[in-house]
Amino acid sequence: MGRMKIKRAIERVPGGMMLVPLLLGAAIATFAPEAGKFFGSFTNALFTGSLPVLSVFYVCMGASIDVRATPYILKKGGALFAGKIGVGVIVGVVLGHILGEQPISSGLFAGLSTLAVVAAINDTNGGLYMALSGRYGRPQDAAAYSVMSIESGPFLTMVTLGVAGLAAFPWPVLLGAVLPLIVGIVLGNLDHEMRDFLKPAIPIMIPFFAFGLGNTLDLHHVVEAGFMGVLLGVGVVCVTGPVLMLMDRLTGGNGVAGIAAATTAGNAAAVPTLVAAANPAYAAAAKPATVLVVASIIVTGILVPLVTAWWAGRVNKGGTVDLLVTEVTVTETVVTVAADAVKAPS
């Protein structure tokens, strides 16, 4: 009797280790919402304990960041980081003046909020970025994610919302949002054995906090957010992609690494909940924002590999594209990157 290849099947989905447990949790929340309370004890903790798991996740993520990165990695990662966050701030300021903290309540754009858009923009899918830039760019480009991973967590989204003139967060809350990451950075750089100890736990914890997060969602809202979710994902690629391509080219690249960074990270789905926990002014926006961010994760996870492969075909052939070769490359990329995307932290 052959063994089931569950892990391999999950990894075929872009960001699968985040999305599959999240959707499983959402299915339980939709069709058996009292399941956690019924079983109680550790089972209920697993259903409802996404925040403690996330706090440990960010400590381990911080430990993986090497502050002694080479000058090129600092330059490339810093430029892409600045481009992504800069776009998030500009969009946040514009939408903040139009929408404020609350989501749109009805119509075609129901559920859309400043929180949803900023959270989708601010965090790059690290696994997908490293897989694509390593395949089509230079190894140093892939290593630049060690700088970009500072995006992880709700801190920069909170700062962006504050800059946009929306409900502000007191300094202890802002510090608390980034403190686990800082503790991890300190531990990992003071002792490389601690880094080696903590780093492998990053991918292990992703499905556990994703499952707990999914248990806060109702799948009926996922269906309702279908159009807006696709629109948000396409918007993230179209708005951040050109800016990140420019930043990549200004630092000696050919644009490939920039396109590869125009994604939404799997753990960005947790940001709306964390922001709402820190400031109740965003409570109404948190659940629809989470659904939209999940959709953006899926859409950018599919669209960005296609666009990256197409652009790599152009720049590697001096501005011309062999359509047959590009089609083969794109097809191969979708399969390969979908499997690779969750092997590195997102």
Side-chain angles (χ1 to χ4, degrees), residues 104-135:
I104 297 174
S105 58
S106 60
L108 187 63
F109 298 101
L112 184 68
S113 63
T114 308
L115 173 60
V117 177
V118 172
I121 288 175
N122 266 5
D123 205 346
T124 300
N125 186 321
L128 197 57
Y129 169 80
M130 287 187 281
L132 288 171
S133 57
R135 181 180 178 87

Short mmCIF file of all heavy atoms in Angstrom, two decimals, residues 104-135:
data_model
loop_
_atom_site.label_atom_id
_atom_site.label_comp_id
_atom_site.label_asym_id
_atom_site.label_seq_id
_atom_site.Cartn_x
_atom_site.Cartn_y
_atom_site.Cartn_z
N ILE A 104 -16.10 49.56 2.95
CA ILE A 104 -17.28 49.90 2.16
C ILE A 104 -18.37 48.87 2.49
O ILE A 104 -18.12 47.66 2.47
CB ILE A 104 -16.96 49.89 0.66
CG1 ILE A 104 -15.92 50.98 0.35
CG2 ILE A 104 -18.21 50.11 -0.18
CD1 ILE A 104 -15.43 50.97 -1.09
N SER A 105 -19.57 49.34 2.81
CA SER A 105 -20.59 48.46 3.34
C SER A 105 -21.47 47.79 2.30
O SER A 105 -22.10 46.76 2.58
CB SER A 105 -21.49 49.23 4.32
OG SER A 105 -22.08 50.34 3.66
N SER A 106 -21.55 48.35 1.09
CA SER A 106 -22.45 47.77 0.09
C SER A 106 -21.96 48.10 -1.31
O SER A 106 -21.03 48.90 -1.50
CB SER A 106 -23.88 48.32 0.27
OG SER A 106 -23.89 49.73 0.12
N GLY A 107 -22.58 47.45 -2.30
CA GLY A 107 -22.23 47.71 -3.69
C GLY A 107 -21.13 46.81 -4.20
O GLY A 107 -20.71 45.85 -3.55
N LEU A 108 -20.62 47.14 -5.37
CA LEU A 108 -19.62 46.32 -6.04
C LEU A 108 -18.34 46.19 -5.24
O LEU A 108 -17.66 45.17 -5.28
CB LEU A 108 -19.31 46.93 -7.42
CG LEU A 108 -18.40 46.13 -8.35
CD1 LEU A 108 -19.02 44.80 -8.71
CD2 LEU A 108 -18.09 46.94 -9.61
N PHE A 109 -17.99 47.23 -4.48
CA PHE A 109 -16.72 47.24 -3.73
C PHE A 109 -16.92 46.93 -2.25
O PHE A 109 -16.08 47.29 -1.43
CB PHE A 109 -16.03 48.59 -3.90
CG PHE A 109 -15.68 48.91 -5.32
CD1 PHE A 109 -16.47 49.77 -6.07
CD2 PHE A 109 -14.57 48.35 -5.92
CE1 PHE A 109 -16.16 50.07 -7.39
CE2 PHE A 109 -14.25 48.62 -7.24
CZ PHE A 109 -15.05 49.48 -7.98
N ALA A 110 -18.01 46.28 -1.91
CA ALA A 110 -18.31 45.96 -0.51
C ALA A 110 -17.17 45.16 0.12
O ALA A 110 -16.66 44.20 -0.47
CB ALA A 110 -19.61 45.18 -0.42
N GLY A 111 -16.77 45.55 1.32
CA GLY A 111 -15.69 44.88 2.04
C GLY A 111 -14.34 45.52 1.86
O GLY A 111 -13.42 45.30 2.66
N LEU A 112 -14.17 46.32 0.80
CA LEU A 112 -12.88 46.96 0.56
C LEU A 112 -12.61 48.00 1.64
O LEU A 112 -13.48 48.77 2.01
CB LEU A 112 -12.87 47.62 -0.81
CG LEU A 112 -11.53 48.25 -1.25
CD1 LEU A 112 -10.50 47.16 -1.48
CD2 LEU A 112 -11.71 49.09 -2.51
N SER A 113 -11.38 48.02 2.13
CA SER A 113 -10.99 48.98 3.16
C SER A 113 -9.53 49.37 2.98
O SER A 113 -8.76 48.68 2.29
CB SER A 113 -11.20 48.39 4.56
OG SER A 113 -10.34 47.26 4.73
N THR A 114 -9.17 50.46 3.60
CA THR A 114 -7.76 50.88 3.59
C THR A 114 -6.89 49.80 4.21
O THR A 114 -5.80 49.50 3.73
CB THR A 114 -7.59 52.19 4.38
OG1 THR A 114 -8.52 53.16 3.90
CG2 THR A 114 -6.18 52.73 4.23
N LEU A 115 -7.38 49.19 5.29
CA LEU A 115 -6.63 48.13 5.96
C LEU A 115 -6.35 46.98 5.02
O LEU A 115 -5.22 46.46 4.96
CB LEU A 115 -7.44 47.63 7.17
CG LEU A 115 -6.90 46.41 7.91
CD1 LEU A 115 -5.50 46.67 8.46
CD2 LEU A 115 -7.85 46.00 9.03
N ALA A 116 -7.35 46.54 4.23
CA ALA A 116 -7.18 45.41 3.32
C ALA A 116 -6.12 45.70 2.27
O ALA A 116 -5.23 44.88 2.00
CB ALA A 116 -8.51 45.08 2.64
N VAL A 117 -6.17 46.89 1.68
CA VAL A 117 -5.25 47.24 0.60
C VAL A 117 -3.82 47.38 1.13
O VAL A 117 -2.86 46.85 0.54
CB VAL A 117 -5.69 48.53 -0.10
CG1 VAL A 117 -4.68 48.93 -1.18
CG2 VAL A 117 -7.08 48.36 -0.71
N VAL A 118 -3.66 48.07 2.24
CA VAL A 118 -2.32 48.28 2.80
C VAL A 118 -1.71 46.94 3.23
O VAL A 118 -0.53 46.67 2.98
CB VAL A 118 -2.37 49.27 3.98
CG1 VAL A 118 -1.02 49.33 4.69
CG2 VAL A 118 -2.75 50.66 3.48
N ALA A 119 -2.51 46.09 3.88
CA ALA A 119 -2.00 44.78 4.31
C ALA A 119 -1.58 43.91 3.12
O ALA A 119 -0.58 43.19 3.18
CB ALA A 119 -3.06 44.05 5.14
N ALA A 120 -2.33 43.99 2.01
CA ALA A 120 -2.00 43.20 0.82
C ALA A 120 -0.73 43.70 0.15
O ALA A 120 0.03 42.92 -0.42
CB ALA A 120 -3.17 43.25 -0.17
N ILE A 121 -0.49 45.00 0.22
CA ILE A 121 0.68 45.59 -0.45
C ILE A 121 1.94 45.41 0.37
O ILE A 121 3.02 45.12 -0.16
CB ILE A 121 0.44 47.09 -0.73
CG1 ILE A 121 -0.57 47.26 -1.86
CG2 ILE A 121 1.75 47.80 -1.09
CD1 ILE A 121 -0.95 48.70 -2.14
N ASN A 122 1.85 45.56 1.69
CA ASN A 122 3.03 45.77 2.53
C ASN A 122 3.93 44.55 2.73
O ASN A 122 5.04 44.71 3.20
CB ASN A 122 2.59 46.27 3.91
CG ASN A 122 2.61 47.78 4.00
OD1 ASN A 122 2.86 48.47 3.02
ND2 ASN A 122 2.32 48.30 5.17
N ASP A 123 3.47 43.37 2.42
CA ASP A 123 4.23 42.16 2.78
C ASP A 123 4.46 41.29 1.55
O ASP A 123 3.52 40.90 0.88
CB ASP A 123 3.46 41.38 3.85
CG ASP A 123 4.37 40.51 4.71
OD1 ASP A 123 5.53 40.30 4.31
OD2 ASP A 123 3.92 40.03 5.76
N THR A 124 5.72 40.99 1.26
CA THR A 124 6.10 40.22 0.07
C THR A 124 6.18 38.72 0.39
O THR A 124 6.69 38.33 1.44
CB THR A 124 7.48 40.69 -0.45
OG1 THR A 124 7.41 42.06 -0.80
CG2 THR A 124 7.92 39.88 -1.65
N ASN A 125 5.69 37.90 -0.54
CA ASN A 125 5.80 36.44 -0.40
C ASN A 125 7.27 36.04 -0.60
O ASN A 125 7.77 35.96 -1.71
CB ASN A 125 4.91 35.76 -1.44
CG ASN A 125 4.86 34.26 -1.26
OD1 ASN A 125 5.86 33.62 -0.94
ND2 ASN A 125 3.69 33.68 -1.48
N GLY A 126 7.95 35.79 0.52
CA GLY A 126 9.39 35.53 0.47
C GLY A 126 9.76 34.27 -0.29
O GLY A 126 10.71 34.25 -1.06
N GLY A 127 9.01 33.18 -0.06
CA GLY A 127 9.31 31.93 -0.76
C GLY A 127 9.18 32.08 -2.25
O GLY A 127 10.03 31.62 -3.02
N LEU A 128 8.11 32.74 -2.69
CA LEU A 128 7.89 32.95 -4.12
C LEU A 128 8.96 33.86 -4.70
O LEU A 128 9.49 33.62 -5.79
CB LEU A 128 6.50 33.54 -4.34
CG LEU A 128 5.92 33.47 -5.74
CD1 LEU A 128 5.85 32.04 -6.23
CD2 LEU A 128 4.53 34.11 -5.78
N TYR A 129 9.30 34.92 -3.97
CA TYR A 129 10.33 35.86 -4.44
C TYR A 129 11.67 35.15 -4.62
O TYR A 129 12.34 35.30 -5.65
CB TYR A 129 10.48 37.02 -3.45
CG TYR A 129 11.70 37.86 -3.73
CD1 TYR A 129 11.69 38.82 -4.74
CD2 TYR A 129 12.89 37.67 -3.03
CE1 TYR A 129 12.83 39.56 -5.03
CE2 TYR A 129 14.02 38.41 -3.30
CZ TYR A 129 13.99 39.36 -4.31
OH TYR A 129 15.12 40.10 -4.60
N MET A 130 12.07 34.37 -3.64
CA MET A 130 13.38 33.71 -3.72
C MET A 130 13.41 32.65 -4.81
O MET A 130 14.42 32.48 -5.49
CB MET A 130 13.75 33.13 -2.36
CG MET A 130 14.13 34.18 -1.34
SD MET A 130 14.78 33.51 0.21
CE MET A 130 13.26 33.05 1.03
N ALA A 131 12.29 31.94 -4.98
CA ALA A 131 12.24 30.93 -6.03
C ALA A 131 12.34 31.56 -7.41
O ALA A 131 13.08 31.09 -8.28
CB ALA A 131 10.94 30.12 -5.91
N LEU A 132 11.62 32.66 -7.64
CA LEU A 132 11.61 33.30 -8.95
C LEU A 132 12.91 34.04 -9.24
O LEU A 132 13.47 33.93 -10.33
CB LEU A 132 10.43 34.28 -9.04
CG LEU A 132 9.05 33.65 -9.16
CD1 LEU A 132 7.97 34.71 -9.03
CD2 LEU A 132 8.90 32.91 -10.48
N SER A 133 13.40 34.82 -8.26
CA SER A 133 14.63 35.57 -8.49
C SER A 133 15.82 34.64 -8.58
O SER A 133 16.78 34.91 -9.32
CB SER A 133 14.84 36.63 -7.40
OG SER A 133 14.86 36.02 -6.12
N GLY A 134 15.80 33.53 -7.84
CA GLY A 134 16.87 32.55 -7.96
C GLY A 134 16.86 31.85 -9.31
O GLY A 134 17.91 31.51 -9.86
N ARG A 135 15.66 31.64 -9.87
CA ARG A 135 15.54 30.94 -11.15
C ARG A 135 15.88 31.85 -12.33
O ARG A 135 16.55 31.44 -13.28
CB ARG A 135 14.11 30.42 -11.30
CG ARG A 135 13.85 29.64 -12.58
CD ARG A 135 12.40 29.17 -12.62
NE ARG A 135 12.08 28.45 -13.83
CZ ARG A 135 12.24 27.16 -14.02
NH1 ARG A 135 12.75 26.43 -13.05
NH2 ARG A 135 11.91 26.58 -15.16
#
